[in-house]
Amino acid sequence: MSYTLQCPKCHAMMRTYNRNGIQIEQCDGCRGIFLDYGELEALTRLEAQWAQPAAPPPPAPAPYAQPGGYPQPAPYAQPAPYAQPGNYGQPAWGHGHGGHGGQRHGGFARMLFSS
Amino acid sequence: MAAMARLAAQFTPLPPLAAAGPPGPAEPPGRQRRSGPVVVSRRDDRLVVRCGAIVLKAHAAGTDPDHLGARLRLAARPALREVLLPALAARDAPQTFMLRIGSRLVSAWPAGHALDERDADTAPWAPAGSLLARLHRAPSASGELVGLPSATVLRRLADRIARLRPYAGHPLVVPVLAAHAVLPAIPHPVAPGQPRATLPRQPTATLPGRPTALIHGDWHFGQLVDLPGAGWRIIDVDDLGFGDPAWDLARPAAWFACGLLPVDRWARFLDAYRAGGGPAVPAEGDPWPALDLPARALTIEYAATAVAAHLGVAAPSPAQSPTGTGFSTGSMSPLDDVGREFVAACARIASAYRSVPG
């Protein structure tokens, strides 16, 4: 955050904030807000997303999706040597069988090694 | 940094390594070390610096010196030297395993090879399971364990949930808070000889009827190093203590339950843990009655952490945001597939437990 602009209304200094990826300047004196070109539209878009009917989290990525259930892609669906669901299983809230392969996700690789 | 490097000389290196020619292990290609002290990691307010064959760790401000001292003494026990990386003793005080720089407590460790995300496909699932089983079977009645605190688990959960509450209507926040709302409160574990009242506040640790063991508290693959000539060892004793051993299996269990971990790797880990006599799960049959709660809690912590980062409210800041929520919003980062899987799992948790809390 930094001071870059002077408020056109009360002439106090304005402070830059980053709100959800949008830079806004807010006056320390009168709390007025200055938006750059396009930022109002960006905020309106965000607001529309926010106001969407609350609902379930985003669906799983299409390549893995299966109608009527949780994704259970073929590559890891219970390889033969481990086909003992009783010993490994899944909790009631689990994803289904196996998993779709951590190596496809950079995020998963990072998560293996950090808190 | 310079103070850390000077401090390295005040610890006694591990004898076999000190005698083994060039200081420290050779690095694999592409990971050569620079000479002089090198920052290994800097996270929150912990700093880890490598000085030749010794790694120094400056523990977080506010770390309880009695608790850390007990944890370090434990890590130096000969009985655990094949499980935990041994803490190095100060040169002039063989029973002292930490020194101070200013207000910071600093411990010293032999340098080994740590793993990182480039090792994702070759992570040592079976050795990890074996090591955790050995840790959990460590005898816990010994006098050396006096003063050892309960383990810390779910270090981030309460903080991240608090950061999300101002955004309770957000579609990504709704399932996370709903899953958190059906997570039961669990009593503290009680260490041998410790009255319950002296235990630190801990939201979630042990359910009645579950075993209590010496546990790591924050286990993942970043908590393993390969010590040259010795093999895999568990590092980072900051959360070590008494607790339900299922907490050390909670992250892999959460990864598997959320569909991120293929069953063959999960099976290698769990088989090795069971073969080593690990007490967290029954030797055969369904492990989920034991793992369900820790895996759920970690899933919620992962989801809350990812969504807080996505909304730009993850980093604490002294500045007040314009909306006065108490959290300064940083820049929004995209929620990756892994974060989405955790949020989706939270929705399943909320719906699976809504009618049967607990």
Side-chain angles (χ1 to χ4, degrees):
Chain A
M1 153 184 349
S2 58
Y3 291 95
T4 50
L5 288 179
Q6 199 173 15
C7 176
K9 195 168 158 195
C10 75
H11 305 292
M13 292 309 290
M14 301 189 82
R15 219 182 258 250
T16 304
Y17 295 91
N18 191 315
R19 303 275 305 159
N20 294 336
I22 298 164
Q23 298 272 333
I24 65 173
E25 278 80 36
Q26 182 167 35
C27 173
D28 275 353
C30 69
R31 313 299 287 166
I33 287 177
F34 183 90
L35 295 175
D36 284 327
Y37 176 76
E39 286 177 340
L40 182 60
E41 287 73 9
L43 281 173
T44 309
R45 263 199 314 278
L46 277 178
E47 188 184 21
Q49 282 172 19
W50 190 287
Q52 275 169 6
Y64 313 126
Q66 266 192 356
Y70 296 117
Q72 297 176 15
Y76 295 111
Q78 302 286 343
Y82 302 109
Q84 300 167 33
N87 272 355
Y88 309 109
Q90 282 269 337
W93 49 273
H95 179 279
H97 298 290
H100 43 65
Q103 63 272 39
R104 294 184 204 176
H105 300 284
F108 181 70
R110 278 192 296 281
M111 189 187 57
L112 280 183
F113 302 101
S114 56
S115 296
Chain B
M1 185 83 171
M4 292 276 273
R6 282 195 298 278
L7 204 63
Q10 297 182 37
F11 285 99
T12 310
L14 207 58
L17 281 181
E27 293 284 321
R31 302 191 195 180
Q32 275 86 9
R33 285 180 292 120
R34 288 182 282 130
S35 57
V38 176
V39 173
V40 176
S41 75
R42 189 196 297 268
R43 189 172 53 79
D44 301 330
D45 57 353
R46 302 176 195 183
L47 174 65
V48 179
V49 173
R50 178 168 176 166
C51 307
I54 289 183
V55 170
L56 291 174
K57 177 172 187 176
H59 296 265
T63 297
D64 182 316
D66 294 335
H67 288 171
L68 181 61
R71 287 166 164 155
L72 293 170
R73 280 195 300 282
L74 191 89
R77 278 176 72 191
L80 287 170
R81 90 178 129 210
E82 291 184 1
V83 181
L84 297 174
L85 194 70
L88 300 179
R91 281 192 190 277
D92 51 2
Q95 289 308 307
T96 297
F97 299 96
M98 59 192 182
L99 297 172
R100 281 180 186 276
I101 294 181
S103 61
R104 289 306 184 85
L105 298 167
V106 178
S107 58
W109 308 86
H113 297 307
L115 295 167
D116 65 29
E117 55 195 88
R118 290 169 291 189
D119 304 301
D121 289 335
T122 54
W125 291 96
S130 304
L131 273 177
L132 287 171
R134 291 187 70 163
L135 176 68
H136 296 167
R137 293 182 63 195
S140 60
S142 157
E144 287 166 294
L145 302 190
V146 168
L148 193 71
S150 56
T152 313
V153 297
L154 300 175
R155 215 178 244 288
R156 290 176 185 73
L157 181 64
D159 171 83
R160 295 301 188 269
I161 291 294
R163 287 170 192 278
L164 293 182
R165 289 209 188 278
Y167 301 87
H170 190 286
L172 290 169
V173 175
V174 168
V176 179
L177 294 183
H180 183 255
V182 294
L183 199 62
I186 302 160
H188 300 301
V190 179
Q194 256 185 317
R196 183 170 287 261
T198 67
L199 292 168
R201 287 173 58 80
Q202 173 115 333
T204 304
T206 306
L207 277 177
R210 290 288 305 154
T212 296
L214 183 62
I215 71 167
H216 181 273
D218 185 28
W219 192 83
H220 50 74
F221 278 101
Q223 308 286 31
L224 287 183
V225 298
D226 189 4
L227 194 60
W232 296 107
R233 296 291 184 270
I234 295 173
I235 62 168
D236 185 0
V237 299
D238 286 2
D239 300 312
L240 187 82
F242 293 103
D244 181 340
W247 285 105
D248 284 347
L249 279 59
R251 289 180 193 275
W255 303 334
F256 178 62
C258 293
L260 297 164
L261 179 64
V263 69
D264 59 327
R265 297 177 193 193
W266 169 240
R268 286 209 299 276
F269 174 76
L270 203 56
D271 285 350
Y273 183 81
R274 285 170 152 159
V281 292
E284 287 203 355
D286 188 0
W288 287 97
L291 298 179
D292 177 67
L293 178 64
R296 256 194 288 155
L298 259 294
T299 296
I300 297 165
E301 186 180 81
Y302 274 127
T305 302
V307 173
H310 171 64
L311 295 177
V313 295
S317 164
Q320 287 284 311
S321 71
T323 51
T325 57
F327 296 120
S328 172
T329 50
S331 57
M332 187 161 138
S333 61
L335 189 66
D336 66 9
D337 288 351
V338 169
R340 289 184 187 281
E341 291 293 352
F342 286 129
V343 174
C346 283
R348 294 194 298 270
I349 289 170
S351 89
Y353 287 87
R354 189 169 291 135
S355 48
V356 207

